[in-house]
Amino acid sequence: LSFNDTWLDFQHGLLRKTAGDLEQWQELYEKALVCASKRLLPDRRRKRSYPRVSYQKRTKATKFETKNRGEAKQIREDNRRKAHE
């Protein structure tokens, strides 16, 4: 399924319409779901011309340390003191 086309189907089929009761919402939802299920990704004959790469995930600890360097240093020192006790 194509995400963009599916999202557009749901926007047009549900979010921009008003329904009075639950039965009407369910009917609109089913229609949007049927339309979205018919959407397919395009059949690309050529492969991509560049290698597919992803970013490496950082640990949460490094994110905290970069935002709050002073606090992180103090916490590390406190943890070291507790470990040696």
Side-chain angles (χ1 to χ4, degrees):
L1 292 173
S2 170
F3 177 79
N4 283 340
D5 292 339
T6 302
W7 175 242
L8 288 173
D9 282 340
F10 272 89
Q11 274 187 322
H12 293 293
L14 287 176
L15 301 178
R16 295 188 180 160
K17 294 186 178 181
T18 57
D21 60 351
L22 180 62
E23 290 178 12
Q24 289 177 342
W25 273 111
Q26 287 176 339
E27 191 175 311
L28 288 173
Y29 179 77
E30 286 180 24
K31 286 180 183 178
L33 196 59
V34 168
C35 289
S37 68
K38 293 179 181 177
R39 300 284 186 156
L40 299 175
L41 288 172
D43 184 22
R44 295 190 174 107
R45 301 286 179 204
R46 296 180 346 178
K47 295 190 177 199
R48 68 172 50 98
S49 61
Y50 53 89
R52 185 174 180 175
V53 294
S54 62
Y55 295 105
Q56 289 189 0
K57 188 174 180 181
R58 289 186 350 188
T59 62
K60 290 183 180 181
T62 59
K63 186 174 183 179
F64 174 77
E65 288 178 8
T66 56
K67 283 187 173 183
N68 309 308
R69 290 188 190 273
E71 283 183 53
K73 185 177 180 182
Q74 184 65 37
I75 291 171
R76 275 196 310 271
E77 289 174 2
D78 291 345
N79 287 341
R80 287 182 189 144
R81 280 190 215 122
K82 289 178 185 175
H84 290 296
E85 291 177 355

